[in-house]
Structures are given as C-alpha cells and as structure tokens.
Amino acid sequence: MKKTVVILLVLLALQSQAQFTKASLQASGLTCSMCNNAIYKALKALPFIASVESDIKNSSFDMVFKRDTPASIDAIKDAVEDAGFSVATFKLTGNFDHVSIADDKHVKIGDRHFHFIKVKDQVLDGEQTITVIDKDFLTVKSFKKFSAATKKGCIQTGKADACGETEGVTKDTRIYHVTI
Amino acid sequence: MLSLTASSQVHYGQQAPDITLPGVNGDTVKLSSLKGKVVLVDFWASWCGPCRASNKKLVKFYPKYKDKGFEILAVSLDKDRADWTKAVAKDKMNWPQVIDDGGWDAKTGEKWGIYQLPTSYLIDKDGKIVAMDLEGKMLEKALKDLLGS
C-alpha cells in the first residue's frame, strides 16, 4: 500500500502543471472595435471571467479568470466573433510549475495539450505569458508565418487529427498551438 | 430606430432624462439648464476615432446655428480626465462639455442606452427627444424645422 502511494505521488509530480490566471486580446473588424461595448459585454458574460478591462491605449481587452472555474479560450474567441469581430492577438498568462517545452513539440499541461511553435527549448517556471497562434486567434498574415514553421497538420485544424494519435489523444483532441 | 438597453430611459417623443455631470472646470452642468434651446446631446470619447472625426464636422456646423437657439451638450465616457480635457482642447469644441468617467459602465451612458460611440440625441425646445444619430444634411433639416417654430 505504501509503495503504491509513493509511486502515485511520484507520477503526479511528473505531470506538467500550470494555472492559467488571465488573458489579453486585441480584436479586429470592419468597424472600430473599441467604439461599442459588444466585445466588453460578451467577455464579461462568460462564466469563468472575473473581470474585464478595456485598455484604450493598447486597444486590448484584459481579462482576469475566476480561480475555481476552468477558462476556455475557444469560448472567449467565440464571444468576440459573436460580437462581430475577430481575434487579432491573444495572450494567455499562467503560473507554470517546471514545464519543459521544446520547439514544434506537443506537451500536455494539466488536462490540455499544447503544441509550442517557434520557441527555444526551455523550462517554463513561475508567471509566464504565452501567445495563442491557432488559426482564429491571429491575423491571416501572422498565422501564415507560424504555420510555415511546422510541418504538422494540426496547426491548421487545432485538433490532433493530422498529428496522429498517442495515448490519451484521439483525432478530435483539441491541440492549442502557442508560442512564447 | 431607437436602440434600447434594459436600463435605457430614452424614448422618442418623451422628456429626456436630465443630465447632471461635471464640466471641464469642475463646475456642474445640467441638461435641463438648456431648456428652451434645441440641444444635440452628443456621447463620445477621446479614444473613439469616429467620434473625433464627428467633432471636426460639428465645429464647422455649430457657428451656423448657435445664435439661432441651438446648443450641443457633449458627454464624454472617458475614464481618464486628462485624456478628455486634452481632446476637448485639441478638437477646439467651444460648446458645453461634461464627463461621466465610467466608460461603458458610466451611469449616464446606461440611462441613455449608449452601446456605441458616437451616439447623439436631438432634444427639442421643450426637452423632448425627437431624433437619434442625425448628422450633416439630416441634422440641418431637423434643426430648420425645430428652430423655425
């Protein structure tokens, strides 16, 4: 029994963890994205958002997540699109607990799968901000730059399908493409 | 077409809710003090590009009608008062300026159903709301009708 407990604790310690605490996005569209409150109201209404600030000087929306509710960046993106705009930049901040990342490699952090692109191999510790580079989180021009940096097909879909299945990963598993 | 939010108290043909807000010099300015004039209540903010463009047009327009009983009350939703006063000076607006520094959560903005900037309401001499978002020729036509009486 004692041996099993010890082994379990070791395995838990090996699992990569990060607590995502806040995000910041810039939106783009045909009309002035800061000039109406559609995005502001849509973000405020998300259940995992604790607060939203319109940062006029940077034309960005700064969000703080609630501590107890898991945040969904896809839900944030959908809220911006429902408001009639699209996400031009998306930064996600979290507290990382010794997470090893390598260029063009997948890493599982907590329950989610991330694919880091155009990064130096490194260990993420403490508060770090990563940039989401999935197709709907970037301008077309910026996305082209990042998708050219990997041969893996999952960058185009945000799902594992073209990147192959491994343990715990099916073709429908969401892969978050990010850089730092 | 009037866009109403849940807390909006603005209705066509009805009395405009009063506005009591601080002016540029810290004084208090009330919309009701302008009764007897045709007033354009103009909601804007220094960071709103289309608003600044509209200010430029109003600066040209204002002198034509201000001595005929027309007034503009500019209400800014700027959260930063320094940004506000700088913009007022830069755009050379010499009509009453007030601020409700709550951004999208500003109480006056909510009362008037403001969900986008710029938004303007035209108030007749009796304080009734008669039109929304008029500009250029449409505004001139409305003023000629309202000031003529």
Side-chain angles (χ1 to χ4, degrees), chain A residues 117-118 131-133 138 141-150 155 178-180:
Chain A
I117 293 178
K118 272 180 160 285
T131 300
V132 179
I133 56 167
L138 277 186
K141 191 171 161 194
S142 298
F143 177 70
K144 279 197 176 125
K145 188 179 80 174
F146 284 101
S147 59
T150 178
I155 180 80
V178 294
T179 193
I180 188 166

Side-chain angles (χ1 to χ4, degrees), chain B residues 93-112:
Chain B
M93 295 183 285
N94 54 352
W95 53 80
Q97 303 282 329
V98 294
I99 184 169
D100 189 350
D101 63 0
W104 293 119
D105 297 324
K107 289 206 159 53
T108 307
E110 294 208 333
K111 217 184 201 186
W112 285 69

